[in-house]
Amino acid sequence: MTYQILPYSYNKARQLGVQIYPSKKKNKKIDVYKNNEYICSIGSLGMNDYATYLRYKGLEYANKRRYLYHQRHKNDSSLAGIYARKILW
């Protein structure tokens, strides 16, 4: 199963100056590149993200899930964690 990258994530990536593509890793959603150089893979394939919640559950529910995600991951300073927070959430 491949993840369909939604316009929300493409826009966030563009703002950060990176390119995103469906991940080549079987358990990840997105591969992040800068200047055509691989940086990291983000997003667990089995989990939802802000854009997915927004599409299927609505704004109020998506915002609640975003808040909870940020609370759980506020101390994650890894490169993948930072990009996941900024692109997927």
Side-chain angles (χ1 to χ4, degrees):
M1 174 174 110
T2 58
Y3 174 73
Q4 179 186 1
I5 302 174
L6 298 174
Y8 174 87
S9 297
Y10 281 117
N11 290 335
K12 291 291 195 172
R14 190 176 311 111
Q15 291 171 5
L16 295 170
V18 297
Q19 300 81 40
I20 57 175
Y21 304 99
S23 184
K24 295 176 182 171
K25 294 183 178 182
K26 68 177 182 175
N27 61 338
K28 292 294 185 179
K29 292 180 181 178
I30 296 174
D31 287 339
V32 180
Y33 291 81
K34 185 163 186 137
N35 300 325
N36 294 322
E37 189 172 316
Y38 173 80
I39 298 175
C40 62
S41 294
I42 61 172
S44 180
L45 195 54
M47 306 302 282
N48 288 323
D49 53 56
Y50 183 74
T52 305
Y53 283 127
L54 193 58
R55 177 180 259 188
Y56 296 111
K57 299 275 188 161
L59 181 63
E60 185 177 339
Y61 188 81
N63 285 339
K64 183 176 182 179
R65 298 309 304 173
R66 175 194 267 171
Y67 171 78
L68 293 171
Y69 177 87
H70 283 278
Q71 290 301 306
R72 281 193 313 277
H73 297 277
K74 63 184 170 190
N75 296 324
D76 185 358
S77 60
S78 69
L79 196 56
I82 291 168
Y83 277 111
R85 199 167 37 254
K86 292 185 176 196
I87 293 173
L88 294 174
W89 291 94

Coordinates of all heavy atoms in Angstrom, one line a residue:
M1 N 0.8 -1.2 0.0 CA 0.0 0.0 0.0 C 0.9 1.2 0.0 O 1.8 1.4 0.8 CB -0.9 0.0 1.3 CG -1.7 1.2 1.4 SD -2.8 1.0 2.8 CE -2.1 2.1 4.0
T2 N 0.7 2.1 -0.9 CA 1.4 3.4 -1.0 C 0.6 4.5 -0.4 O -0.7 4.5 -0.6 CB 1.9 3.7 -2.4 OG1 0.8 3.8 -3.2 CG2 2.9 2.7 -2.9
Y3 N 1.2 5.5 0.1 CA 0.5 6.6 0.7 C 0.3 7.7 -0.4 O 1.2 8.0 -1.2 CB 1.4 7.2 1.8 CG 0.8 8.5 2.4 CD1 -0.3 8.5 3.2 CD2 1.5 9.7 2.2 CE1 -0.7 9.7 3.8 CE2 1.0 10.9 2.7 CZ -0.1 10.9 3.5 OH -0.5 12.0 4.1
Q4 N -0.9 8.2 -0.5 CA -1.2 9.3 -1.4 C -0.9 10.6 -0.7 O -1.5 11.0 0.2 CB -2.6 9.3 -1.9 CG -3.0 10.4 -2.8 CD -4.4 10.5 -3.2 OE1 -5.2 9.7 -2.7 NE2 -4.8 11.4 -4.0
I5 N 0.2 11.3 -1.2 CA 0.5 12.6 -0.6 C -0.5 13.6 -1.0 O -0.8 13.8 -2.2 CB 1.9 13.0 -1.1 CG1 3.0 12.0 -0.7 CG2 2.3 14.4 -0.5 CD1 4.4 12.2 -1.3
L6 N -1.0 14.3 0.0 CA -2.1 15.3 -0.3 C -1.5 16.7 -0.5 O -0.4 17.0 -0.1 CB -3.1 15.3 0.9 CG -3.8 14.0 1.1 CD1 -4.6 14.0 2.4 CD2 -4.7 13.6 -0.1
P7 N -2.3 17.6 -1.1 CA -1.8 19.0 -1.4 C -1.3 19.7 -0.2 O -0.3 20.5 -0.2 CB -3.0 19.7 -2.0 CG -3.8 18.6 -2.6 CD -3.6 17.4 -1.7
Y8 N -1.9 19.4 1.0 CA -1.4 20.1 2.2 C 0.1 19.8 2.5 O 0.8 20.7 2.8 CB -2.3 19.5 3.4 CG -1.8 20.0 4.8 CD1 -2.3 21.2 5.3 CD2 -0.9 19.2 5.5 CE1 -1.8 21.6 6.5 CE2 -0.5 19.7 6.7 CZ -0.9 20.8 7.3 OH -0.5 21.3 8.5
S9 N 0.5 18.6 2.3 CA 1.9 18.2 2.5 C 2.8 18.8 1.5 O 3.9 19.2 1.8 CB 2.0 16.7 2.6 OG 1.3 16.1 3.7
Y10 N 2.4 18.8 0.2 CA 3.2 19.4 -0.8 C 3.4 20.9 -0.6 O 4.5 21.4 -0.8 CB 2.5 19.2 -2.2 CG 2.7 17.9 -2.8 CD1 1.7 17.0 -3.1 CD2 4.0 17.4 -3.1 CE1 1.8 15.8 -3.6 CE2 4.2 16.1 -3.7 CZ 3.1 15.3 -3.9 OH 3.3 14.1 -4.5
N11 N 2.4 21.6 -0.1 CA 2.5 23.0 0.2 C 3.4 23.3 1.3 O 4.3 24.2 1.3 CB 1.1 23.6 0.5 CG 0.2 23.7 -0.7 OD1 0.7 23.7 -1.8 ND2 -1.1 23.7 -0.5
K12 N 3.3 22.4 2.4 CA 4.2 22.6 3.5 C 5.7 22.3 3.1 O 6.6 23.0 3.6 CB 3.8 21.6 4.7 CG 2.5 22.0 5.3 CD 2.7 23.2 6.1 CE 1.6 23.4 7.1 NZ 1.8 24.5 8.0
A13 N 5.9 21.3 2.3 CA 7.3 21.0 1.8 C 7.8 22.1 1.0 O 9.0 22.5 1.2 CB 7.2 19.7 1.0
R14 N 7.0 22.7 0.1 CA 7.4 23.8 -0.7 C 7.9 25.0 0.2 O 8.9 25.7 -0.1 CB 6.3 24.3 -1.6 CG 6.8 25.2 -2.7 CD 5.7 25.6 -3.7 NE 5.0 24.4 -4.3 CZ 3.7 24.1 -4.1 NH1 3.0 24.9 -3.3 NH2 3.2 23.1 -4.6
Q15 N 7.1 25.3 1.3 CA 7.4 26.4 2.2 C 8.8 26.1 2.9 O 9.5 27.1 3.2 CB 6.4 26.5 3.2 CG 5.1 27.0 2.7 CD 3.9 27.0 3.7 OE1 4.2 26.6 4.9 NE2 2.7 27.3 3.3
L16 N 9.1 24.9 3.1 CA 10.4 24.5 3.7 C 11.6 24.4 2.7 O 12.7 24.2 3.1 CB 10.3 23.2 4.5 CG 9.3 23.1 5.6 CD1 9.1 21.7 6.1 CD2 9.8 24.0 6.8
G17 N 11.2 24.4 1.4 CA 12.3 24.4 0.4 C 12.8 22.9 0.2 O 13.9 22.7 -0.2
V18 N 11.9 22.0 0.4 CA 12.3 20.6 0.2 C 11.3 19.9 -0.8 O 10.2 20.5 -1.0 CB 12.3 19.7 1.5 CG1 13.4 20.3 2.4 CG2 11.0 19.7 2.2
Q19 N 11.7 18.8 -1.4 CA 10.8 18.0 -2.3 C 10.4 16.8 -1.5 O 11.2 16.2 -0.7 CB 11.5 17.6 -3.5 CG 12.1 18.8 -4.4 CD 13.4 19.3 -3.9 OE1 14.2 18.6 -3.4 NE2 13.5 20.7 -3.9
I20 N 9.2 16.3 -1.8 CA 8.7 15.1 -1.1 C 8.2 14.1 -2.2 O 7.6 14.6 -3.2 CB 7.6 15.3 -0.1 CG1 6.5 16.1 -0.6 CG2 8.3 16.1 1.1 CD1 5.3 16.3 0.4
Y21 N 8.4 12.8 -2.0 CA 7.9 11.8 -2.9 C 7.4 10.6 -2.0 O 7.8 10.5 -0.9 CB 9.1 11.3 -3.7 CG 9.8 12.4 -4.5 CD1 10.9 13.0 -4.1 CD2 9.2 12.9 -5.7 CE1 11.6 14.0 -4.8 CE2 9.8 13.9 -6.4 CZ 11.0 14.5 -5.9 OH 11.6 15.5 -6.6
P22 N 6.6 9.8 -2.6 CA 6.2 8.6 -1.9 C 7.4 7.8 -1.5 O 8.4 7.7 -2.2 CB 5.3 7.8 -2.9 CG 4.8 8.9 -3.8 CD 5.9 9.9 -3.9
S23 N 7.4 7.3 -0.3 CA 8.6 6.6 0.3 C 8.9 5.3 -0.4 O 8.0 4.6 -0.8 CB 8.5 6.4 1.8 OG 9.6 5.8 2.3
K24 N 10.2 5.0 -0.6 CA 10.6 3.7 -1.1 C 10.7 2.7 0.0 O 10.8 1.5 -0.3 CB 11.9 3.9 -1.8 CG 11.9 4.8 -3.0 CD 13.3 5.0 -3.6 CE 13.1 5.9 -4.8 NZ 14.4 6.4 -5.3
K25 N 10.6 3.1 1.3 CA 10.6 2.2 2.4 C 9.2 1.7 2.6 O 8.2 2.5 2.6 CB 11.1 2.9 3.7 CG 12.6 3.3 3.5 CD 13.1 3.9 4.8 CE 14.6 4.3 4.6 NZ 15.1 4.8 5.9
K26 N 9.0 0.5 2.8 CA 7.7 -0.1 2.9 C 6.8 0.3 4.1 O 5.6 0.2 4.1 CB 7.7 -1.7 2.9 CG 8.3 -2.3 4.1 CD 8.3 -3.8 4.0 CE 8.9 -4.4 5.3 NZ 8.7 -5.8 5.3
N27 N 7.4 0.8 5.2 CA 6.7 1.2 6.3 C 6.6 2.7 6.5 O 6.2 3.2 7.6 CB 7.3 0.5 7.6 CG 8.7 0.9 7.8 OD1 9.4 1.4 6.9 ND2 9.2 0.8 9.0
K28 N 7.1 3.5 5.6 CA 7.1 5.0 5.7 C 6.2 5.6 4.6 O 6.0 5.0 3.5 CB 8.5 5.5 5.6 CG 9.4 5.2 6.7 CD 8.9 5.8 8.0 CE 9.8 5.6 9.2 NZ 9.3 6.2 10.4
K29 N 5.7 6.8 4.8 CA 4.8 7.5 3.9 C 5.6 8.3 2.9 O 5.3 8.3 1.7 CB 3.9 8.5 4.7 CG 2.9 7.8 5.5 CD 2.1 8.9 6.2 CE 1.0 8.3 7.2 NZ 0.3 9.3 7.9
I30 N 6.6 9.1 3.3 CA 7.2 10.1 2.5 C 8.7 10.1 2.6 O 9.2 10.0 3.7 CB 6.6 11.5 2.9 CG1 5.1 11.6 2.6 CG2 7.4 12.7 2.2 CD1 4.5 12.9 3.1
D31 N 9.4 10.3 1.5 CA 10.8 10.5 1.5 C 11.0 12.0 1.3 O 10.4 12.6 0.4 CB 11.5 9.8 0.4 CG 11.6 8.3 0.7 OD1 11.5 7.9 1.9 OD2 11.8 7.5 -0.2
V32 N 11.9 12.7 2.1 CA 12.2 14.1 2.0 C 13.5 14.3 1.3 O 14.5 13.6 1.7 CB 12.2 14.7 3.4 CG1 12.4 16.2 3.3 CG2 10.8 14.5 4.1
Y33 N 13.6 15.2 0.3 CA 14.8 15.5 -0.4 C 15.0 17.0 -0.4 O 14.1 17.8 -0.5 CB 14.7 15.0 -1.9 CG 14.7 13.5 -2.0 CD1 13.6 12.8 -1.9 CD2 15.9 12.9 -2.4 CE1 13.6 11.4 -2.0 CE2 15.9 11.5 -2.6 CZ 14.7 10.8 -2.4 OH 14.7 9.4 -2.5
K34 N 16.3 17.4 -0.4 CA 16.6 18.8 -0.6 C 17.7 18.8 -1.6 O 18.8 18.1 -1.5 CB 17.1 19.4 0.7 CG 17.4 20.9 0.6 CD 17.4 21.6 1.9 CE 17.5 23.1 1.6 NZ 16.7 23.8 2.5
N35 N 17.5 19.6 -2.7 CA 18.5 19.7 -3.8 C 18.8 18.3 -4.4 O 19.9 17.9 -4.6 CB 19.8 20.4 -3.4 CG 19.5 21.8 -2.9 OD1 18.7 22.5 -3.5 ND2 20.2 22.2 -1.9
N36 N 17.7 17.5 -4.5 CA 17.8 16.1 -5.0 C 18.7 15.2 -4.2 O 19.1 14.1 -4.6 CB 18.3 16.1 -6.5 CG 17.3 16.8 -7.4 OD1 16.1 16.6 -7.2 ND2 17.8 17.6 -8.3
E37 N 18.9 15.5 -2.9 CA 19.7 14.7 -2.0 C 18.7 14.2 -0.9 O 18.0 15.0 -0.3 CB 20.8 15.5 -1.4 CG 21.8 14.6 -0.6 CD 23.0 15.4 -0.2 OE1 23.6 16.2 -1.1 OE2 23.4 15.3 0.9
Y38 N 18.7 12.9 -0.7 CA 17.8 12.3 0.3 C 18.2 12.8 1.7 O 19.3 12.9 2.1 CB 18.0 10.8 0.3 CG 17.3 10.0 1.4 CD1 15.9 9.8 1.3 CD2 17.9 9.6 2.5 CE1 15.2 9.1 2.3 CE2 17.3 8.9 3.5 CZ 15.9 8.7 3.4 OH 15.3 8.0 4.4
I39 N 17.1 13.2 2.5 CA 17.3 13.7 3.8 C 16.9 12.6 4.8 O 17.6 12.2 5.7 CB 16.6 15.0 4.1 CG1 17.2 16.1 3.2 CG2 16.7 15.4 5.5 CD1 16.5 17.4 3.3
C40 N 15.6 12.2 4.7 CA 15.0 11.3 5.6 C 13.7 10.8 5.1 O 13.1 11.3 4.2 CB 14.8 11.9 7.0 SG 13.7 13.3 7.1
S41 N 13.1 9.8 5.8 CA 11.8 9.3 5.5 C 10.9 9.6 6.7 O 11.4 9.5 7.9 CB 11.8 7.7 5.4 OG 12.5 7.4 4.2
I42 N 9.7 10.0 6.5 CA 8.8 10.4 7.6 C 7.4 9.8 7.5 O 7.0 9.3 6.4 CB 8.6 12.0 7.6 CG1 8.0 12.5 6.3 CG2 9.9 12.7 7.9 CD1 7.6 13.9 6.3
G43 N 6.8 9.7 8.6 CA 5.4 9.2 8.7 C 5.3 7.7 8.6 O 5.7 7.1 7.7
S44 N 4.7 7.1 9.7 CA 4.5 5.7 9.7 C 3.3 5.4 8.8 O 2.2 6.0 8.9 CB 4.2 5.2 11.1 OG 4.0 3.9 11.2
L45 N 3.4 4.4 7.9 CA 2.4 4.1 6.9 C 1.0 3.8 7.6 O 0.0 4.1 7.0 CB 2.9 3.0 6.0 CG 2.1 2.8 4.7 CD1 2.0 4.1 3.9 CD2 2.7 1.8 3.9
G46 N 1.0 3.1 8.7 CA -0.2 2.7 9.3 C -0.9 3.8 10.1 O -2.0 3.6 10.6
M47 N -0.3 5.0 10.2 CA -0.9 6.1 11.0 C -1.5 7.2 10.2 O -1.0 7.4 9.0 CB 0.2 6.7 12.0 CG 0.8 5.6 12.8 SD -0.3 4.7 13.9 CE -0.6 5.9 15.2
N48 N -2.5 7.9 10.7 CA -3.0 9.0 10.0 C -2.2 10.3 10.3 O -1.3 10.3 11.1 CB -4.5 9.3 10.4 CG -5.4 8.2 9.8 OD1 -5.2 7.8 8.7 ND2 -6.4 7.8 10.5
D49 N -2.5 11.4 9.5 CA -1.8 12.7 9.7 C -2.9 13.8 9.6 O -4.0 13.5 9.4 CB -0.7 12.8 8.7 CG -1.1 12.6 7.3 OD1 -2.0 13.3 6.9 OD2 -0.5 11.8 6.6
Y50 N -2.4 15.0 9.8 CA -3.4 16.1 9.8 C -4.2 16.2 8.5 O -5.4 16.3 8.6 CB -2.6 17.4 10.0 CG -3.5 18.6 10.1 CD1 -4.3 18.8 11.2 CD2 -3.6 19.5 9.0 CE1 -5.1 19.9 11.3 CE2 -4.5 20.6 9.1 CZ -5.2 20.8 10.3 OH -6.1 21.9 10.4
A51 N -3.6 16.1 7.4 CA -4.3 16.2 6.1 C -5.3 15.1 5.9 O -6.4 15.3 5.4 CB -3.3 16.2 4.9
T52 N -5.0 13.9 6.4 CA -5.9 12.8 6.3 C -7.1 13.0 7.2 O -8.2 12.8 6.8 CB -5.2 11.5 6.6 OG1 -4.1 11.3 5.8 CG2 -6.1 10.3 6.4
Y53 N -6.8 13.4 8.4 CA -7.9 13.7 9.4 C -8.8 14.8 8.8 O -10.0 14.7 8.9 CB -7.4 14.1 10.7 CG -6.9 12.9 11.6 CD1 -5.6 12.9 12.1 CD2 -7.7 11.8 11.8 CE1 -5.2 11.8 12.9 CE2 -7.3 10.7 12.6 CZ -6.0 10.8 13.1 OH -5.6 9.7 13.9
L54 N -8.2 15.8 8.3 CA -8.9 17.0 7.8 C -9.9 16.5 6.6 O -11.0 16.9 6.6 CB -7.9 18.0 7.2 CG -8.4 19.4 6.9 CD1 -9.1 20.0 8.1 CD2 -7.3 20.2 6.4
R55 N -9.4 15.6 5.8 CA -10.2 15.2 4.7 C -11.3 14.3 5.1 O -12.4 14.4 4.6 CB -9.3 14.4 3.7 CG -10.0 13.8 2.5 CD -9.1 13.1 1.6 NE -8.8 13.9 0.5 CZ -8.1 13.5 -0.6 NH1 -7.6 12.3 -0.6 NH2 -7.9 14.3 -1.6
Y56 N -11.1 13.4 6.1 CA -12.1 12.4 6.4 C -12.9 12.7 7.7 O -14.0 12.1 7.8 CB -11.5 11.0 6.5 CG -10.9 10.6 5.1 CD1 -9.6 10.5 4.9 CD2 -11.8 10.3 4.1 CE1 -9.1 10.1 3.7 CE2 -11.3 9.9 2.8 CZ -10.0 9.8 2.7 OH -9.5 9.4 1.4
K57 N -12.4 13.5 8.6 CA -13.0 13.7 9.9 C -13.4 15.2 10.1 O -14.1 15.4 11.1 CB -12.1 13.2 11.0 CG -11.8 11.8 11.0 CD -12.9 10.9 11.6 CE -12.4 9.5 11.8 NZ -13.1 8.8 12.7
G58 N -12.9 16.1 9.3 CA -13.2 17.5 9.5 C -12.2 18.3 10.3 O -11.3 17.8 11.0
L59 N -12.4 19.6 10.2 CA -11.4 20.5 10.8 C -11.3 20.4 12.3 O -10.2 20.4 12.9 CB -11.8 22.0 10.5 CG -10.9 23.1 11.0 CD1 -9.5 22.9 10.4 CD2 -11.5 24.4 10.6
E60 N -12.4 20.3 13.0 CA -12.3 20.3 14.5 C -11.6 19.0 15.0 O -10.7 19.1 15.8 CB -13.8 20.3 15.1 CG -13.8 20.4 16.6 CD -15.2 20.5 17.1 OE1 -16.1 20.8 16.4 OE2 -15.4 20.1 18.3
Y61 N -11.9 17.9 14.4 CA -11.3 16.7 14.8 C -9.8 16.7 14.4 O -8.9 16.3 15.2 CB -11.9 15.5 14.2 CG -11.4 14.1 14.7 CD1 -11.9 13.6 15.9 CD2 -10.5 13.4 14.0 CE1 -11.5 12.4 16.3 CE2 -10.0 12.2 14.4 CZ -10.5 11.7 15.6 OH -10.1 10.5 16.1
A62 N -9.5 17.2 13.2 CA -8.1 17.3 12.8 C -7.3 18.2 13.7 O -6.1 17.8 14.0 CB -8.0 17.8 11.3
N63 N -7.8 19.3 14.1 CA -7.1 20.2 15.0 C -6.8 19.6 16.3 O -5.8 19.8 16.9 CB -7.8 21.5 15.1 CG -7.7 22.4 13.9 OD1 -6.8 22.2 13.1 ND2 -8.6 23.3 13.7
K64 N -7.8 18.8 16.8 CA -7.6 18.1 18.1 C -6.5 17.1 18.0 O -5.6 17.0 18.9 CB -8.9 17.4 18.5 CG -8.8 16.8 19.9 CD -10.2 16.2 20.3 CE -10.1 15.6 21.6 NZ -11.4 15.0 22.0
R65 N -6.5 16.3 16.9 CA -5.4 15.3 16.7 C -4.1 16.0 16.5 O -3.0 15.5 17.0 CB -5.7 14.4 15.5 CG -7.0 13.6 15.6 CD -7.1 12.8 16.9 NE -6.0 11.9 17.0 CZ -5.8 11.2 18.1 NH1 -6.6 11.2 19.1 NH2 -4.7 10.4 18.2
R66 N -4.0 17.1 15.8 CA -2.8 17.9 15.7 C -2.2 18.3 17.0 O -1.0 18.1 17.3 CB -3.0 19.1 14.8 CG -1.8 20.0 14.7 CD -2.1 21.3 14.1 NE -1.9 21.3 12.6 CZ -2.3 22.2 11.9 NH1 -3.0 23.3 12.3 NH2 -2.1 22.1 10.6
Y67 N -3.1 18.8 17.8 CA -2.7 19.3 19.2 C -2.1 18.1 20.0 O -1.0 18.2 20.6 CB -3.8 19.9 19.9 CG -3.5 20.1 21.4 CD1 -2.8 21.3 21.7 CD2 -3.9 19.3 22.4 CE1 -2.5 21.5 23.1 CE2 -3.6 19.5 23.7 CZ -2.9 20.6 24.0 OH -2.6 20.8 25.4
L68 N -2.8 17.0 19.9 CA -2.3 15.8 20.7 C -1.0 15.3 20.1 O -0.1 14.8 20.8 CB -3.4 14.7 20.6 CG -4.6 15.0 21.4 CD1 -5.7 14.0 21.2 CD2 -4.4 15.1 22.9
Y69 N -0.8 15.3 18.8 CA 0.4 14.9 18.1 C 1.6 15.8 18.6 O 2.6 15.3 19.0 CB 0.3 14.9 16.6 CG 1.6 14.6 15.9 CD1 1.9 13.3 15.7 CD2 2.6 15.6 15.6 CE1 3.1 12.9 15.1 CE2 3.8 15.2 15.0 CZ 4.1 13.9 14.8 OH 5.3 13.6 14.2
H70 N 1.4 17.1 18.6 CA 2.4 18.0 19.1 C 2.8 17.8 20.5 O 3.9 17.9 20.9 CB 2.0 19.5 18.8 CG 2.1 19.9 17.4 ND1 3.3 20.3 16.8 CD2 1.2 19.9 16.4 CE1 3.1 20.6 15.5 NE2 1.8 20.3 15.2
Q71 N 1.8 17.5 21.3 CA 2.1 17.2 22.8 C 2.9 16.0 22.9 O 3.9 15.9 23.7 CB 0.8 17.0 23.5 CG 0.0 18.3 23.7 CD 0.8 19.4 24.4 OE1 1.3 19.2 25.5 NE2 0.9 20.5 23.8
R72 N 2.6 14.9 22.2 CA 3.4 13.7 22.3 C 4.8 13.8 21.7 O 5.7 13.1 22.2 CB 2.7 12.5 21.5 CG 1.5 11.9 22.1 CD 1.1 10.6 21.4 NE 1.0 10.7 20.0 CZ -0.1 11.1 19.3 NH1 -1.1 11.6 20.0 NH2 -0.1 11.2 18.0
H73 N 5.0 14.6 20.7 CA 6.3 14.7 20.0 C 7.0 16.0 20.3 O 8.0 16.3 19.5 CB 6.1 14.5 18.5 CG 5.5 13.2 18.2 ND1 6.3 12.0 18.1 CD2 4.2 12.7 18.0 CE1 5.6 11.0 17.8 NE2 4.3 11.4 17.8
K74 N 6.7 16.8 21.3 CA 7.3 18.1 21.5 C 8.8 18.0 21.8 O 9.5 18.9 21.6 CB 6.6 18.8 22.6 CG 6.6 18.2 24.0 CD 5.7 19.1 24.9 CE 5.6 18.3 26.2 NZ 4.6 19.0 27.0
N75 N 9.3 16.9 22.3 CA 10.7 16.7 22.6 C 11.5 15.9 21.6 O 12.6 15.7 21.7 CB 10.8 16.0 24.0 CG 10.3 16.8 25.1 OD1 10.4 18.0 25.1 ND2 9.7 16.2 26.1
D76 N 10.8 15.6 20.4 CA 11.5 14.9 19.4 C 12.3 15.9 18.5 O 11.7 16.7 17.8 CB 10.5 14.2 18.5 CG 11.1 13.3 17.4 OD1 12.3 13.3 17.3 OD2 10.4 12.7 16.7
S77 N 13.6 15.9 18.7 CA 14.4 16.8 17.9 C 15.2 16.2 16.8 O 16.1 16.8 16.2 CB 15.4 17.5 18.9 OG 16.2 16.5 19.5
S78 N 14.8 14.9 16.5 CA 15.5 14.3 15.3 C 15.0 14.9 14.0 O 14.0 15.6 13.9 CB 15.1 12.8 15.3 OG 13.7 12.7 14.9
L79 N 15.9 14.8 13.0 CA 15.6 15.4 11.7 C 14.2 14.9 11.2 O 13.4 15.7 10.7 CB 16.7 15.1 10.7 CG 16.8 16.0 9.5 CD1 16.8 17.5 9.8 CD2 18.0 15.6 8.7
A80 N 14.0 13.6 11.3 CA 12.8 13.0 10.8 C 11.6 13.5 11.6 O 10.5 13.8 11.0 CB 12.8 11.5 10.8
G81 N 11.8 13.7 12.9 CA 10.7 14.2 13.7 C 10.3 15.6 13.4 O 9.2 16.0 13.3
I82 N 11.3 16.4 13.1 CA 11.1 17.8 12.8 C 10.4 17.9 11.4 O 9.4 18.7 11.3 CB 12.4 18.6 12.7 CG1 13.0 18.7 14.1 CG2 12.3 20.0 12.1 CD1 14.4 19.2 14.2
Y83 N 10.8 17.2 10.4 CA 10.1 17.2 9.1 C 8.7 16.6 9.2 O 7.8 17.2 8.6 CB 11.0 16.5 8.0 CG 12.0 17.4 7.5 CD1 13.4 17.2 7.7 CD2 11.7 18.5 6.7 CE1 14.4 18.0 7.2 CE2 12.7 19.4 6.2 CZ 14.0 19.1 6.4 OH 15.0 20.0 5.9
A84 N 8.5 15.6 10.0 CA 7.2 15.0 10.1 C 6.3 16.1 10.7 O 5.1 16.2 10.3 CB 7.3 13.8 11.0
R85 N 6.7 16.7 11.7 CA 5.9 17.8 12.4 C 5.6 18.9 11.5 O 4.4 19.4 11.4 CB 6.6 18.3 13.7 CG 5.8 18.9 14.7 CD 6.5 19.2 16.0 NE 7.9 19.5 16.0 CZ 8.8 18.6 16.4 NH1 8.6 17.4 16.7 NH2 10.1 19.0 16.3
K86 N 6.5 19.3 10.7 CA 6.3 20.5 9.8 C 5.6 20.1 8.5 O 4.9 21.0 7.9 CB 7.6 21.1 9.5 CG 8.2 21.8 10.7 CD 9.5 22.5 10.4 CE 10.0 23.2 11.6 NZ 10.9 24.3 11.4
I87 N 5.7 18.9 8.0 CA 5.1 18.5 6.7 C 3.8 17.8 6.9 O 2.8 18.1 6.2 CB 6.1 17.7 5.9 CG1 7.2 18.5 5.5 CG2 5.3 17.1 4.7 CD1 8.3 17.7 4.8
L88 N 3.7 16.9 7.9 CA 2.5 16.1 8.0 C 1.5 16.7 9.0 O 0.4 16.4 9.0 CB 2.9 14.7 8.5 CG 3.6 13.8 7.5 CD1 4.1 12.5 8.1 CD2 2.8 13.6 6.2
W89 N 2.0 17.5 9.9 CA 1.1 18.1 11.0 C 1.1 19.6 11.0 O 0.4 20.2 11.6 CB 1.6 17.6 12.3 CG 1.3 16.1 12.4 CD1 2.2 15.1 12.2 CD2 0.0 15.5 12.8 NE1 1.5 13.9 12.3 CE2 0.2 14.1 12.7 CE3 -1.2 16.0 13.1 CZ2 -0.8 13.2 13.0 CZ3 -2.2 15.1 13.4 CH2 -2.0 13.7 13.3

